[in-house]
Amino acid sequence: MLYLVHMQVQIPHGTDAAHADALKAEEKAFSQQLQREGKWRHLWRVAGEYANYSVFDVESNDELHALLAALPLFPFMKISVTPLAQHPSAIAAN
């Protein structure tokens, strides 16, 4: 199943810089692992924001929720999820 996920990161002001940097490094490693596994198919930055739009390819709502909740920056994110379906006019198959 494909999902369009919008993630907005809001690390609170005053957060220890070293701790924030460690979380960001963990987040990068985990996201790249999921990309290599084919679960995180696309990752696009929103220009001018600490946010992204991503496409996930996972088996279920529960799997997506588990992956998102496992992100190191999850406690600092506002997330919206849109399930996707193949459009009948699309020439490329998923």
Side-chain angles (χ1 to χ4, degrees):
M1 298 175 69
L2 295 177
Y3 298 89
L4 177 66
V5 179
H6 183 217
M7 296 178 237
Q8 297 173 293
V9 181
Q10 301 165 341
I11 299 173
H13 293 290
T15 300
D16 177 69
H19 178 63
D21 289 345
L23 288 174
K24 291 174 191 177
E26 291 173 29
E27 182 90 10
K28 181 177 183 176
F30 186 50
S31 71
Q32 289 179 345
Q33 173 191 336
L34 293 174
Q35 289 172 68
R36 284 190 286 277
E37 293 172 3
K39 293 179 184 287
W40 196 325
R41 290 188 36 186
H42 298 278
L43 174 57
W44 295 94
R45 175 177 298 221
V46 177
E49 297 180 25
Y50 194 174
N52 72 73
Y53 280 97
S54 296
V55 175
F56 284 82
D57 188 358
V58 295
E59 293 298 318
S60 67
N61 296 337
D62 292 332
E63 182 181 6
L64 178 64
H65 180 77
L67 291 177
L68 294 175
L71 292 170
L73 290 172
F74 179 77
F76 308 112
M77 289 183 181
K78 178 182 175 190
I79 298 175
S80 62
V81 176
T82 304
L84 299 174
Q86 181 73 34
H87 194 286
S89 296
I91 59 173
N94 290 326

